[in-house]
């Protein structure tokens, strides 16, 4: 088990190349606000990314894909994994 201080506030699941840059910006912005945030760097399928969010104990999960980047909106699931 991970030590409790390693629990993430936010995990960003990235879908597609278009969302990669935005995900990086979002992670940096969240970290500047004092949140523990992480994202997927391996271009894995969403199911694998959701599993990582679970392993990290993320309190919130943001799914970021091409349509979210274009619209400027994303879906945030809070405590979806507990």
């Amino acid at each position: 088990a991970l030590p409790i201080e390693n629990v993430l506030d936010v995990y960003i699941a990235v879908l597609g190349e278009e969302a990669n840059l935005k995900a990086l910006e979002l992670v940096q912005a969240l970290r500047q606000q004092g949140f523990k945030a992480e994202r997927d760097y391996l271009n894995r399928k969403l199911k694998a990314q959701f599993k990582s969010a679970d392993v990290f104990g993320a309190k919130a999960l943001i799914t970021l894909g091409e349509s979210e980047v274009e619209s400027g909106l994303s879906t945030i699931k809070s405590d979806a994994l507990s």
Side-chain angles (χ1 to χ4, degrees):
L2 294 171
I4 198 73
E5 61 265 23
N6 283 350
V7 168
L8 282 182
D9 293 307
V10 182
Y11 186 89
I12 301 171
V14 186
L15 190 59
E17 288 297 316
E18 312 286 324
N20 260 326
L21 186 61
K22 209 63 181 166
L24 183 62
E25 289 172 11
L26 194 52
V27 164
Q28 289 172 339
L30 285 164
R31 287 176 179 167
Q32 284 170 351
Q33 300 283 328
F35 293 103
K36 289 192 177 98
E38 199 50 82
R39 56 165 288 225
D40 183 71
Y41 294 96
L42 305 172
N43 294 322
R44 296 175 302 159
K45 291 189 175 7
L46 274 181
K47 191 174 179 183
Q49 296 185 52
F50 292 162
K51 194 169 183 177
S52 286
D54 203 15
V55 168
F56 281 121
K59 296 174 192 161
L61 174 67
I62 298 175
T63 305
L64 200 58
E66 204 172 319
S67 60
E68 286 83 5
V69 172
E70 285 173 11
S71 67
L73 301 169
S74 64
T75 304
I76 301 173
K77 293 185 176 136
S78 188
D79 292 323
L81 305 166
S82 53

